[in-house]
Amino acid sequence: MPDSGQTEGRKVDHIRIVLGEDVAAKGIATGFAAYRLPHAALPELDLAQIDTRTTFLGKTIQAPLLISSMTGGANVAERLNLALAEAAEHLGLPMGVGSQRAAVLDARLASTYQVRRVAPRIPLLANLGAVQLNYGFGIDHCQRAVDMIEADALILHLNPLQEAVQPEGDTNFAGLLGKIEQVCRALEVPVVVKEVGNGIGAHDARRLAECGVQVIDVAGAGGTSWSEVERFRQPTEQGRRVAGAFADWGLATTECIRQVRAALPEVGLIASGGIRSGVDVAKALALGADLAGTARPALVQAVDERGAEAVVEGLTSFMRELRVAMFCAGCGDLKALRSVTLTELRG
């Protein structure tokens, strides 16, 4: 395992690069622009009565919108996570924290993830890299991550491309499925598996569901590219060239949603990867997702000097856009939204 200082330094790099560089995927889009919601000129609805509430991890949330895992493990991240969590509590939205490996290695960093004091009621998701199960982590470490933040679920994230191009990457993904199954059986909270921006398709989703994973977050391609993030961390020209070759790698978010929902009609399904508006959220749900997740837009707002206030402002726009999209599509609630037929644009 790397020492905690190395891990903390990487976290600081990631925040700096995501906020300051062009790390969007290149040559691949999320796919949302290829779909249109139906327009109801006579919706026979009152906009004020549109109901976006749903349940997640046994708790009522005010909209099907997850503040996706972003950061932690560095002192600078504590303020950001508290701003995100305070906004989530105010808006009644769920939140995931960034990978907790740093705090599992060094308990002094636990405070950078511990946000329950400002978010006592929301669904909160702990997070570890699945590959760490091949690098000394086990069920006890997973339980420690859950207990550290009083989480309602544990995310195990999959990031093979990021690890493959990261200067200090952990690249042994052999035999992980069986270890994920052991974690699913041992923990009392649900296990969520997510990608980090290159997508989960039907084949992998089936295997994960069969071993006990209850929620799949597809985290498709078209938003932030973590191979692009790692390109900016490369110390050599060869490393930058290799990482840059994968800017268009992965499955588009919309394709992931369609594949996974068709393969697994009952699995909990989160659509993330390039969600940039409430209209994207509406399209994601119409395609089959239960929730949509967004990360970078909320992080950009969290670094504003207004902190939680800026995050609330930005996410309120997402929620208002979702309500307007539902209203204009003639959908009074999320059940109706999930039943609409999208128009797929060709060419």
Side-chain angles (χ1 to χ4, degrees):
M1 293 184 189
D3 63 39
S4 60
Q6 182 186 49
T7 303
E8 184 175 3
R10 184 166 65 247
K11 298 295 184 182
V12 173
D13 283 349
H14 286 162
I15 294 170
R16 172 182 57 79
I17 292 167
V18 167
L19 292 173
E21 305 289 352
D22 177 8
V23 292
K26 313 294 190 300
I28 187 169
T30 61
F32 289 113
Y35 292 93
R36 290 288 183 272
L37 286 155
H39 176 64
L42 186 61
E44 291 285 353
L45 294 169
D46 179 352
L47 177 60
Q49 300 301 313
I50 299 295
D51 187 2
T52 63
R53 291 173 300 173
T54 187
T55 58
F56 182 55
L57 301 176
K59 297 181 177 181
T60 298
I61 58 176
Q62 296 305 306
L65 181 62
L66 167 70
I67 300 177
S68 292
S69 302
M70 280 176 270
T71 191
N75 289 327
V76 67
E78 182 171 356
R79 180 180 68 83
L80 300 179
N81 272 337
L82 287 171
L84 293 167
E86 187 177 342
E89 180 74 15
H90 178 80
L91 295 171
L93 301 177
M95 172 183 166
V97 300
S99 173
Q100 291 167 257
R101 174 168 57 154
V104 170
L105 293 171
D106 184 351
R108 292 172 298 179
L109 294 170
S111 64
T112 68
Y113 301 93
Q114 291 169 331
V115 298
R116 271 296 184 205
R117 66 185 185 273
V118 299
R121 293 182 295 271
I122 65 168
L124 187 61
L125 289 79
N127 183 4
L128 287 173
V131 74
Q132 298 312 313
L133 298 174
N134 277 347
Y135 288 87
F137 276 40
I139 291 167
D140 288 348
H141 297 87
C142 294
Q143 187 65 56
R144 196 181 309 169
V146 171
D147 293 343
M148 183 189 302
I149 66 166
E150 303 172 57
D152 299 289
L154 173 68
I155 294 169
L156 292 175
H157 67 262
L158 300 172
N159 60 338
L161 176 56
Q162 182 187 9
E163 297 287 355
V165 301
Q166 190 176 90
E168 63 278 69
D170 295 323
T171 56
N172 179 14
F173 277 68
L176 276 184
L177 192 62
K179 293 180 179 179
I180 292 172
E181 183 172 10
Q182 291 173 10
V183 174
C184 291
R185 290 179 175 178
L187 294 190
E188 294 184 1
V189 299
V191 172
V192 179
V193 169
K194 76 182 297 290
E195 239 279 356
V196 300
N198 299 108
I200 295 176
H203 174 68
D204 286 331
R206 283 194 199 95
R207 295 194 298 163
L208 291 164
E210 287 168 359
C211 77
V213 172
Q214 294 188 32
V215 180
I216 306 289
D217 182 344
V218 296
T224 298
S225 164
W226 281 90
S227 60
E228 284 290 273
V229 173
E230 296 298 344
R231 179 169 65 87
F232 284 98
R233 297 185 63 242
Q234 292 291 336
T236 68
E237 178 57 35
Q238 182 187 69
R240 290 188 286 273
R241 185 170 64 249
V242 171
F246 294 91
D248 64 351
W249 188 267
L251 298 170
T253 301
T254 53
E255 182 59 24
C256 292
I257 299 167
R258 293 180 62 175
Q259 282 193 27
V260 175
R261 181 51 77 214
L264 299 166
E266 303 302 322
V267 78
L269 179 56
I270 301 173
S272 66
I275 300 288
R276 296 294 183 259
S277 71
V279 179
D280 287 345
V281 175
K283 292 178 182 180
L285 268 66
L287 286 168
D290 296 303
L291 272 72
T294 189
R296 189 178 183 278
L299 182 62
V300 170
Q301 294 148 6
V303 300
D304 186 286
E305 62 182 13
R306 295 177 297 149
E309 180 184 349
V311 180
V312 167
E313 184 179 293
L315 293 180
T316 297
S317 293
F318 267 62
M319 295 168 72
R320 183 178 179 186
E321 290 158 7
L322 171 62
R323 293 170 63 86
V324 171
M326 291 172 63
F327 175 67
C328 291
C331 301
D333 56 26
L334 299 181
K335 181 179 179 181
L337 177 59
R338 293 188 180 102
S339 71
V340 303
T341 300
L342 296 176
T343 300
E344 186 173 5
L345 307 179
R346 298 294 182 180

